[in-house]
Amino acid sequence: MAKITEIDDLKRIYKRRTPKMFYDYCESGSWTEQTFRENSSDFDLIKLRQRVAVDMTGRSTASKMIGQDVAMPVALAPVGSTGMQHADGEILAAKAAEKFGVPFTLSTMSVCSLEDVAENTSKPFWFQLYVMRDREFTKRAIQRAKDAGCSALVLTLDLQILGQRHKDIKNGLTVPIKLSPYTLLDLATKWRWGMQMMQTKRRSFGNIIGHIDGVSDMSSLSVWAAESFDPQLDWDYVKEIKDLWGGPLILKGILDADDAKMALNVGADAIVVSNHGGRQLDGAMSSIKALPSIMDAVGDKIEVHLDSGIRSGQDVLKALAMGATGTYIGRAFVYGLGAMGQHGVEEALRVIHKELDVTMALCGEKNVQDLGKHNLLVPRDFYGDWA
Ligand SMILES: Cc1cc2nc3c(=O)[nH]c(=O)nc-3n(C[C@H](O)[C@H](O)[C@H](O)COP(=O)(O)O)c2cc1C
């Protein structure tokens, strides 16, 4: 078996084993993909301060996210259709996260349902909510998340309308897959994926089918999905959802200091500085560049998390040292999942953990919670002088 030493190793295997339309669905940003690219390349602009002659024994990456213990402050981000990247993908990823001691976030648009993931895991996971026009569906989803024992609600705010990803249109992406001569040809070389898919019954959107009136099959679901995200979602409705849920609330998709202040005002427990991995507003700032202004605005009043562009433990360290208290990986765990199922997600977490731990040591730190700006060299013009 190939030796996995970095996240890119998993990505290469993932690409070989997964149908092109699902690989493309994951590995793309909206329009020109500028924000998608800069999410990662902006991490490279920040340098680490090497320190020496510091006792490095007894290191710890353990921390807390929204008051919950984590083996390292790296959660699995909500990723729609994960169950199409690998059969039973959400359950496998949740199991890997549970084993590693980090949070797993289940997307509204998952293949395995809330109930299914709860039945197949033993620790509470987080549920990510997309607000739908059908407010009864939203209410029921919140109740189902409570019944499934979810320990946080992650409300995504940056996808009321879909950013265009050219490849999905060109590939004719559907869940489940629709067979055309082109997809048949592609599938012929992805036999492992196909065999595993044939052995599972989970092949459509498990949180939606059967939970919304008039949607019992995929043809009506595709019509529903295209029109279903609620463009009227505003801060009043966010407040309503917070009250309805009544538990820890994380607001995801904050990229602007003014929005961070609004999130604070509605009483969220944490925010995720995120541009949806560059899949929504192309031309928006990378998350790591947006972080300093958000830290200045609310950093001492609310927990600030970050995602988008993280591909290594060094990236995690940079985000934490810039002030975030938690991070999420999206694509980095999907690469692992598509490459090797649950084991691949565990490998992705192992790689990131090792990089974080060793890098922390080489920066002269023993505890992840002590990381700070003193560990970094940040260009004076990093944030930029914007009019
Ligand atoms: C294939 C894919 C599907 C995604 N689906 C969702 C989703 O259903 N809900 C959500 O809030 N975010 C979704 N996201 C965004 C992720 O939660 C996260 O913000 C993003 O992946 C972080 O960037 P990274 O992939 O560079 O780590 C998705 C991202 C990807 C790559």
Side-chain angles (χ1 to χ4, degrees):
M1 187 179 276
K3 278 233 178 323
I4 305 301
T5 60
E6 55 175 335
I7 293 296
D8 259 357
D9 292 336
L10 294 167
K11 184 174 167 183
R12 271 188 293 276
I13 304 172
Y14 163 54
K15 186 172 186 183
R16 268 204 320 270
R17 293 188 172 169
T18 313
K20 183 177 182 305
M21 68 163 63
F22 295 116
Y23 174 84
D24 283 351
Y25 167 65
C26 173
E27 199 52 21
S28 51
S30 51
W31 288 288
T32 70
E33 303 193 331
Q34 181 194 7
T35 300
F36 171 49
R37 286 188 300 275
E38 289 180 359
N39 273 336
S40 290
S41 62
D42 282 350
F43 274 105
D44 298 340
L45 302 174
I46 301 172
K47 304 297 173 204
L48 301 171
R49 279 183 73 197
Q50 172 176 309
R51 301 301 305 274
V52 297
V54 179
D55 177 2
M56 291 174 181
T57 54
R59 296 188 305 279
S60 170
T61 59
S63 189
K64 285 186 190 290
M65 287 172 79
I66 53 160
Q68 299 174 15
D69 288 326
V70 292
M72 63 175 171
V74 181
L76 300 193
V79 170
S81 312
T82 297
M84 298 309 287
Q85 302 289 358
H86 188 288
D88 305 334
E90 289 89 2
I91 291 175
L92 300 185
K95 283 185 165 175
E98 181 172 313
K99 204 165 154 193
F100 212 90
V102 296
F104 169 76
T105 320
L106 183 74
S107 165
T108 298
M109 301 309 288
S110 61
V111 171
C112 305
S113 68
L114 271 157
E115 294 76 10
D116 216 357
V117 176
E119 253 170 51
N120 287 283
T121 50
S122 53
K123 283 192 198 143
F125 55 93
W126 297 353
F127 179 62
Q128 174 266 327
L129 181 69
Y130 276 135
V131 173
M132 304 295 184
R133 281 178 205 258
D134 179 342
R135 298 209 166 185
E136 285 308 310
F137 170 82
T138 300
K139 269 192 200 159
R140 278 199 300 271
I142 292 174
Q143 188 54 47
R144 288 171 59 206
K146 284 187 198 177
D147 295 344
C150 292
S151 55
L153 186 74
V154 178
L155 176 59
T156 298
L157 298 176
D158 60 1
L159 199 143
Q160 282 166 273
I161 187 165
L162 206 61
Q164 178 169 312
R165 298 184 288 266
H166 303 318
K167 286 178 221 154
D168 292 351
I169 296 174
K170 289 182 172 127
N171 288 333
L173 177 76
T174 55
V175 174
I177 210 160
K178 265 201 197 115
L179 293 178
S180 68
Y182 179 77
T183 46
L184 276 172
L185 201 66
D186 185 35
L187 285 176
T189 62
K190 308 287 164 29
W191 56 270
R192 185 192 305 257
W193 180 93
M195 299 271 286
Q196 283 159 344
M197 273 297 168
M198 268 159 45
Q199 286 164 29
T200 182
K201 52 185 188 323
R202 305 175 181 104
R203 284 192 289 255
S204 59
F205 291 113
N207 281 331
I208 288 163
I209 297 277
H211 293 282
I212 196 153
D213 291 344
V215 178
S216 54
D217 71 40
M218 290 311 299
S219 51
S220 56
L221 176 64
S222 57
V223 175
W224 175 81
E227 298 164 353
S228 55
F229 294 103
D230 186 353
Q232 293 187 321
L233 171 63
D234 60 13
W235 288 105
D236 288 336
Y237 194 24
V238 171
K239 180 86 183 59
E240 263 180 58
I241 288 172
K242 179 186 153 48
D243 295 341
L244 213 55
W245 165 244
L249 177 72
I250 302 174
L251 295 181
K252 175 172 183 280
I254 305 289
L255 208 63
D256 191 282
D258 287 342
D259 287 336
K261 288 180 195 157
M262 297 300 284
L264 180 69
N265 286 344
V266 294
D269 295 273
I271 56 172
V272 190
V273 176
S274 171
N275 51 40
H276 218 101
R279 298 165 74 80
Q280 284 295 100
L281 179 63
D282 186 38
M285 202 174 262
S286 66
S287 287
I288 192 67
K289 261 198 184 172
L291 182 62
S293 61
I294 292 175
M295 287 309 301
D296 286 349
V298 299
D300 55 344
K301 300 182 194 79
I302 189 171
E303 228 175 278
V304 178
H305 301 168
L306 176 139
D307 77 16
S308 299
I310 293 178
R311 300 289 182 273
S312 69
Q314 288 87 334
D315 294 342
V316 170
L317 187 147
K318 289 173 184 175
L320 298 175
M322 294 281 276
T325 52
T327 63
Y328 300 70
I329 49 170
R331 294 179 181 89
F333 94 78
V334 175
Y335 302 159
L337 180 75
M340 308 171 178
Q342 180 178 338
H343 176 64
V345 181
E346 287 169 18
E347 284 291 276
L349 289 167
R350 180 189 61 78
V351 164
I352 287 184
H353 180 263
K354 187 169 179 202
E355 289 168 342
L356 173 62
D357 178 51
V358 174
T359 307
M360 188 171 82
L362 294 174
C363 287
E365 295 290 351
K366 294 209 288 195
N367 192 320
V368 82
Q369 297 182 50
D370 294 336
L371 293 168
K373 289 238 179 78
H374 59 279
N375 299 117
L376 304 177
L377 294 165
V378 184
R380 280 189 214 295
D381 60 349
F382 179 65
Y383 174 70
D385 186 14
W386 307 100

